[in-house]
Amino acid sequence: MSNIGNLKEVFSSMVFNERIMKERLPKETYKSLKKTISEGSLLDLETANVIANAMKDWAIEKGATHFTHWFQPMTGITAEKHDSFISPVGDGSIIMEFSGKELIKGEPDASSFPSGGLRATFEARGYTAWDPTSYAFVKESTLFIPTLFCSYGGEALDKKTPLLRSMETLNRQALRILKLFNSPAKRVFATIGSEQEYFLISEDDYAKRKDLILTGRTLFGAKPPKGQELEDHYFGTIKPKVLEYMHDLDEELWKLGISAKTEHNEVAPSQHELAPVFSMANLAVDQNQLTMDMMRKVAQKHKLVCLLHEKPFAGINGSGKHNNWSISTDTGENLLDPGKNPEKNTRFLLFLAAIIKAVNEYQDLLRVSAASAANDHRLGANEAPPAIISMYLGSELSEILGAIEGSYAYSAKEQVKMNSNVSYIPEFIKDTTDRNRTSPFAFTGNKFEFRMLGSSQSISGPNFVLNTIVAEELRQFADILENAKDFEATVFALIKDTVSKNKQIIFNGNNYSDEWTKEAEARGLLNLKNTVEALPLFVAKKNIDLFVKHEILTEAEIYSRREILLEGYWKVINIEALTMADMAKKAIIPAVYKYLDALSESTLRRQKLSLVIDFSYDIELITKISNLKDKLQGAVAKLDKNLAKAKDIEDAEPKARFYSDVIVKDMQILRVYADELETVVAAEFWPFPTYSDILFR
Ligand code: ADP
Ligand code: MG
């Protein structure tokens, strides 16, 4: 199966990581690069020249002929522009060259990326700047250099810049708190492990569906006789062809230093999941992008297609991305590890209080960070968390906080042994709390799991929001505690006060229930049902103040990002609507005509025999199909008309709202008629593979 001889040698073999740097760089150069990486000090050009040269030699040994500045524009995917190392020397020969300048700065003419008004196309200058904290790697004969992407005026045009800025802020504020607890830590960083869900389908089926090709999801498709109701796919045995794919994918990811670890079948048929071992936030963001890229590429080799869309099939669970998030120190401590006696772990409780306050005060930003046209299909549809942000802490932590708030003593829980009542099965200690799969933001032992993210989205957005909102609360806490006369008493009062003012965000029950929606409303929690409802809150004053204060985004950058999100939203729906109308007109309606012809012919021929036959079923079927066809044509005409209206709306916000209120509804109606037709038209006449064909082959 696996042709990997020595996994240890293969792992990270294509990454210019610390081990290689140490091996390949002169001592002084390595030291100043380390200083840049750990302390954020500026790198001089001389050092950059030495690093560039070593990088180039290493990359050429790995088979690279080209290099690229690799960046993450606002499209949510990655971008690259390749240059070769070749440099002619005048006598007709060439040398392979790569300078420090080329490493540090690039200038792609990248004027066509979304900038949300931050620059006009005539102001095309955009720069890519090397991020020395993320590792360069070789892939497809090219040296990839992770970079940031900004405009001539210095505004961030990418997903990575605010993330790095937020990491610095979190570091600064968390260190202030740690100092008060006499911690020796010099650096604090967020750690992320993102569980990636995806669908695998056959290349043949994919090629026959224009909707999958153009939009990544099926716009038509009746419910198959079998869905996921038997719950026989989740954690089920993995089919041999899928297993081959997974092993191949693992190998490719391991080479890039991505520790793909857990793979299993998910709830929906043909759905799977991959989880890596967590890493530092900036690396995790790069690695998740690479994972998505590799998932697609490796699938091609296996004549499969990997669908990363949030909702490829209606009526069947879609795909998300669980974002496991914690904060760690350079001294190897996980600050969200409660330890054996959380009730006595003041530092942990203080960080926990900061997170509770952050999630409560910035529910809107967390919601915005997961908003997209595609994710609108999942949130609140009883397969993913509702659109309401709340936190799950579990019984133990909730009881501890309850005791602090009520000023009574907490009696620690006895550790309970798990007994299977089978004599030879070893006993083990049970976790002190159960899990809750329905919560959007759940404490899972020593980290939080933010579960709203869509499968295809960059994890940068949700994490720069998380880092920043937690940093803001830590800042407020540090301001109070640094001036406290009686530290112990002040900390205790602070935790108590914070919990008491923010406890409405804590909910340990079933988030999928209708009662919760009602209770959440009574508690005053936000319920931003879709992208268009959520996005305006991005620019709420308190949110602008937050980002500006911590120098994560300027006001102009925030507005531009909202513009890009709104535009992205209506453009996605516009493409879907056009594809739907096209498929209806060019594939479904012609197929229905053909089938109606065949039915009518057959009926007429039999009538000519002048037998005493009852034709009522024939007539009924022809009438039913004919009526549905008419309704479908009517729905297409209505959609076309409204799409023409949408064209005339100039501003992004009303335009997005029109798509959400009108076009999405038109599409839903159109689909109902088409899907009903699918159930009555003979299979050989139906123009593309159905859900049963695609999902259960
Ligand atoms: P669970 O059973 O809670 O889902 P797993 O061990 O399967 O836990 O982990 C799920 C994901 O969470 C993995 O990607 C894992 O690496 C990640 N993870 C574990 N610890 C941390 C941490 N301290 N910070 C961030 N992510 C973490
Ligand atoms: Mg999990």
Side-chain angles (χ1 to χ4, degrees), residues 191-195 275-278 324-326 334 435 444 446-447 449:
T191 51
I192 304 172
S194 54
E195 304 167 45
V277 174
F278 67 95
N324 294 273
W325 177 93
S326 188
N334 177 357
R435 295 197 164 230
T444 49
N446 59 3
K447 61 186 188 289
E449 190 169 338

Side-chain angles (χ1 to χ4, degrees), residues 139-275:
K139 186 171 77 103
E140 293 140 13
S141 309
T142 304
L143 169 67
F144 281 73
I145 300 154
T147 59
L148 306 185
F149 179 45
C150 58
S151 74
Y152 184 67
E155 290 105 348
L157 296 173
D158 67 347
K159 299 254 173 190
K160 200 72 193 290
T161 306
L163 179 82
L164 295 193
R165 291 174 182 164
S166 76
M167 287 178 73
E168 297 212 341
T169 298
L170 182 64
N171 173 53
R172 211 175 304 127
Q173 303 303 340
L175 281 178
R176 286 177 68 194
I177 299 285
L178 288 184
K179 211 170 148 204
L180 297 167
F181 286 91
N182 303 316
S183 158
K186 286 211 182 66
R187 195 157 180 88
V188 173
F189 46 85
T191 51
I192 304 172
S194 54
E195 304 167 45
Q196 178 72 46
E197 291 184 336
Y198 62 99
F199 279 82
L200 272 186
I201 65 167
S202 100
E203 198 177 68
D204 291 342
D205 290 335
Y206 177 84
K208 289 181 193 138
R209 296 211 46 146
K210 216 176 204 172
D211 47 5
L212 283 175
I213 295 171
L214 295 181
T215 73
R217 75 176 179 109
T218 55
L219 300 168
F220 298 104
K223 198 174 159 357
K226 179 183 176 193
Q228 61 193 43
E229 58 276 67
L230 295 180
E231 292 161 347
D232 52 356
H233 194 256
Y234 189 52
F235 280 41
T237 43
I238 302 173
K239 282 184 197 154
K241 67 175 176 186
V242 173
L243 205 57
E244 270 174 41
Y245 165 82
M246 286 178 172
H247 284 296
D248 210 2
L249 177 62
D250 280 347
E251 282 183 26
E252 291 304 324
L253 295 176
W254 290 337
K255 282 187 210 164
L256 294 170
I258 300 169
S259 44
K261 191 163 167 72
T262 315
E263 316 221 16
H264 61 78
N265 284 353
E266 258 303 326
V267 174
S270 295
Q271 192 188 27
H272 314 281
E273 182 187 289
L274 180 149

Side-chain angles (χ1 to χ4, degrees), residues 206-371:
Y206 177 84
K208 289 181 193 138
R209 296 211 46 146
K210 216 176 204 172
D211 47 5
L212 283 175
I213 295 171
L214 295 181
T215 73
R217 75 176 179 109
T218 55
L219 300 168
F220 298 104
K223 198 174 159 357
K226 179 183 176 193
Q228 61 193 43
E229 58 276 67
L230 295 180
E231 292 161 347
D232 52 356
H233 194 256
Y234 189 52
F235 280 41
T237 43
I238 302 173
K239 282 184 197 154
K241 67 175 176 186
V242 173
L243 205 57
E244 270 174 41
Y245 165 82
M246 286 178 172
H247 284 296
D248 210 2
L249 177 62
D250 280 347
E251 282 183 26
E252 291 304 324
L253 295 176
W254 290 337
K255 282 187 210 164
L256 294 170
I258 300 169
S259 44
K261 191 163 167 72
T262 315
E263 316 221 16
H264 61 78
N265 284 353
E266 258 303 326
V267 174
S270 295
Q271 192 188 27
H272 314 281
E273 182 187 289
L274 180 149
V277 174
F278 67 95
S279 52
M280 230 202 277
N282 58 332
L283 267 182
V285 168
D286 287 4
Q287 293 187 339
N288 182 251
Q289 288 286 1
L290 279 173
T291 301
M292 292 194 284
D293 184 45
M294 276 301 166
M295 281 179 158
R296 291 199 181 97
K297 286 191 177 137
V298 172
Q300 280 172 14
K301 279 203 274 177
H302 292 254
K303 299 199 175 315
L304 296 166
V305 174
C306 170
L307 302 176
L308 289 170
H309 194 282
E310 280 72 4
K311 193 73 179 176
F313 305 99
I316 281 166
N317 274 16
S319 301
K321 186 144 52 189
H322 289 177
N323 188 78
N324 294 273
W325 177 93
S326 188
I327 333 176
S328 281
T329 65
D330 58 343
T331 47
E333 270 190 287
N334 177 357
L335 298 175
L336 299 189
D337 186 350
K340 282 218 172 69
N341 304 100
E343 72 277 15
K344 294 187 190 128
N345 189 343
T346 314
R347 196 183 72 186
F348 165 76
L349 292 172
L350 187 66
F351 274 94
L352 181 65
I355 298 171
I356 293 170
K357 183 163 183 283
V359 173
N360 187 36
E361 288 178 354
Y362 296 100
Q363 295 162 43
D364 48 357
L365 278 181
L366 287 170
R367 174 67 185 90
V368 166
S369 79

Side-chain angles (χ1 to χ4, degrees), residues 483-556:
N483 297 313
K485 292 216 175 63
D486 180 346
F487 182 71
E488 289 294 316
T490 317
V491 171
F492 188 76
L494 186 58
I495 296 173
K496 182 174 167 167
D497 182 57
T498 306
V499 171
S500 142
K501 286 190 178 131
N502 294 280
K503 64 181 173 196
Q504 63 271 27
I505 198 72
I506 299 165
F507 178 61
N508 293 328
N510 179 8
N511 283 256
Y512 292 1
S513 69
D514 294 335
E515 292 81 59
W516 169 235
T517 311
K518 278 182 218 131
E519 189 185 326
E521 198 182 336
R523 290 189 189 189
L525 299 181
L526 288 171
N527 184 359
L528 303 164
K529 294 197 184 71
N530 58 40
T531 301
V532 174
E533 276 186 40
L535 284 183
L537 293 178
F538 193 8
V539 297
K541 185 168 179 312
K542 76 175 205 326
N543 296 334
I544 291 179
D545 288 349
L546 169 82
F547 288 130
V548 170
K549 182 195 290 159
H550 291 277
E551 297 183 333
I552 309 297
L553 291 170
T554 63
E555 188 161 350

Side-chain angles (χ1 to χ4, degrees), residues 53-65:
N53 203 46
M55 239 188 214
K56 177 208 68 186
D57 289 344
W58 169 84
I60 289 173
E61 281 168 35
K62 295 288 174 192
T65 50

